[in-house]
Amino acid sequence: MNEQEILCFADIQAEEVKWLWYPYIPYGKITILQGDPGCGKTMAVLSLAALLSKGESLPFEEAVREPINILYQTSEDGIADTIKPRLESAGANCTRIKIINEEKRALTFDDPRLEQSILQENARLLILDPLSAYIGPTVSMNQANEVRGAFRSLYAMAQRTRCAVLIVAHMNKMSGINALYRTSGSIDIAGAVRSILTVTRYQRSPTQRVLVPVKSNLAAAGPALLFELSDHVEWLRQLDEDAESLLNGCDSLSEAPTKQQQVEEELPRLLEKGPIPNQEIIQHFKSKGIQDRTVNLVKGRLNIRSVRKGDKWYWQLNA
């Protein structure tokens, strides 16, 4: 019989939690930043990345910083026409912000390229935007056992590299409940991370947003942060209001669908009258600013299959 490796807690050296941004984003752990469509969560993330790339203090902190390298992976927005202009508008040092090329193969939580790239670039922050694209096409976000397995590999990688992992997530359409239950998918997603931040509209101004901590396992929750949203983010002040008062009543303000939701609604309608060449479908959504990866991700989850006719591939609804 094989002997099991048993560790004694007396032999384990206690360590302090290190922070990228105290008390919001710890190193070596996973943080979720979530929000409804159109609330400005990606803009907030890019603002933070820009500050970190320049070695400037993060909002409302006094710490002196060194610039850090960042890996930013996104599947919903164009790199050249959306992300790069936004980074430039935020004043980022773009030489310190890198992206793994996913043209040939999409990344998932357990992809070894994540760890390899973090070590190669000495990255201190990995951003994955959004959660639904990177958890993996074979993982059901509503199945607790599948969610736990997917997060386990990502968490182990974060611990080994001591890199902070920040995942951008959409919120479900449920209202009147605790923000922990608003993350799309199983509640085990919220259980798998150490910190959750929610971006929501500020009820007193149509152009202002609030970053609200709704879960903080490793430190006392920090104050909510108010910012102004235009073509860039301007951080305004800390708020004394509690999370519940800031988050309640904001659901009705968020009606714009996500890009995945747009594809989920429109793709079946396009195919109702019969098969369509796949390149025509990709081009149709690209004209609306939706990347082919998002379209293929939705196709894999819907009742749609590929068929070959002559020298072309077509998509059609399964009978």
Side-chain angles (χ1 to χ4, degrees):
M1 184 176 69
N2 293 331
E3 292 186 4
Q4 302 299 315
E5 183 180 6
I6 305 296
L7 302 177
C8 177
F9 272 93
D11 299 326
I12 297 174
Q13 185 68 39
E15 298 178 351
E16 288 186 15
V17 176
K18 304 295 184 183
W19 293 87
L20 173 66
W21 185 23
Y22 182 85
Y24 304 102
I25 304 176
Y27 277 122
K29 315 290 182 185
I30 303 172
T31 299
I32 282 179
L33 189 148
Q34 64 182 9
D36 287 315
C39 70
K41 55 187 179 296
T42 296
M43 291 287 286
V45 169
L46 291 174
S47 172
L48 298 176
L51 293 170
L52 290 165
S53 73
K54 296 182 290 184
E56 295 184 2
S57 298
L58 291 176
F60 314 109
E61 71 169 11
E62 298 178 357
V64 177
R65 290 184 169 272
E66 292 291 329
I68 66 169
N69 294 336
I70 298 162
L71 286 174
Y72 185 95
Q73 303 299 137
T74 180
S75 72
E76 287 200 338
D77 290 305
I79 302 303
D81 62 13
T82 303
I83 300 301
K84 177 68 181 295
R86 287 179 177 180
L87 284 171
E88 290 180 331
S89 179
N93 177 359
C94 290
T95 64
R96 286 190 171 272
I97 304 176
K98 311 291 181 67
I99 182 169
I100 303 168
N101 191 333
E102 299 186 59
E103 288 184 0
K104 294 182 178 179
R105 181 161 54 94
L107 285 163
T108 57
F109 281 2
D110 59 356
D111 194 313
R113 288 178 293 168
L114 289 177
E115 185 164 357
Q116 292 165 4
S117 299
I118 288 170
L119 297 176
Q120 175 183 310
E121 300 298 328
N122 191 28
R124 303 295 286 135
L125 173 63
L126 168 65
I127 301 168
L128 300 173
D129 182 3
L131 165 65
S132 55
Y134 290 98
I135 195 170
T138 63
V139 177
S140 170
M141 289 176 56
N142 295 305
Q143 294 296 319
N145 60 325
E146 295 183 18
V147 164
R148 286 195 296 268
F151 272 88
R152 191 177 298 118
S153 61
L154 184 65
Y155 181 68
M157 185 277 295
Q159 285 192 304
R160 288 193 299 270
T161 61
R162 302 295 183 181
C163 181
V165 177
L166 180 62
I167 300 175
V168 180
H170 300 306
M171 297 172 74
N172 59 46
K173 295 182 180 180
M174 300 172 67
S175 60
I177 61 171
N178 188 296
L180 284 177
Y181 295 89
R182 290 289 317 278
T183 305
S184 292
S186 167
I187 187 60
D188 286 71
I189 293 174
V193 304
R194 301 301 86 194
S195 176
I196 297 179
L197 309 170
T198 295
V199 173
T200 188
R201 287 170 168 80
Y202 193 43
Q203 298 180 54
R204 302 178 188 177
S205 169
T207 61
Q208 291 180 351
R209 305 290 189 265
V210 188
L211 180 70
V212 185
V214 297
K215 178 181 178 179
S216 182
N217 282 120
L218 303 175
L225 308 179
L226 182 68
F227 63 93
E228 186 83 27
L229 186 64
S230 56
D231 64 338
H232 68 284
V233 167
E234 181 182 355
W235 298 92
L236 300 177
R237 58 187 171 90
Q238 297 176 324
L239 298 176
D240 294 329
E241 299 165 72
D242 60 49
E244 292 303 317
S245 63
L246 288 167
L247 294 171
N248 286 341
C250 293
D251 301 311
S252 61
L253 297 172
S254 304
E255 300 296 337
T258 68
K259 292 181 179 180
Q260 286 190 36
Q261 289 169 341
Q262 290 180 53
V263 180
E264 287 172 356
E265 293 174 3
E266 190 170 346
L267 184 54
R269 291 201 300 268
L270 288 174
L271 298 172
E272 281 179 353
K273 296 181 180 180
I276 299 177
N278 65 328
Q279 288 305 314
E280 289 185 17
I281 295 173
I282 294 298
Q283 192 57 45
H284 170 81
F285 285 107
K286 188 166 289 186
S287 68
K288 299 185 175 188
I290 300 174
Q291 302 300 304
D292 54 356
R293 178 177 177 179
T294 301
V295 180
N296 281 295
L297 184 70
V298 172
K299 173 193 177 259
R301 292 175 177 171
L302 298 179
N303 199 29
I304 295 169
R305 64 189 181 97
S306 298
V307 293
R308 185 162 187 164
K309 296 182 179 182
D311 60 350
K312 288 187 178 180
W313 283 95
Y314 290 73
W315 289 2
Q316 69 178 36
L317 294 172
N318 277 333

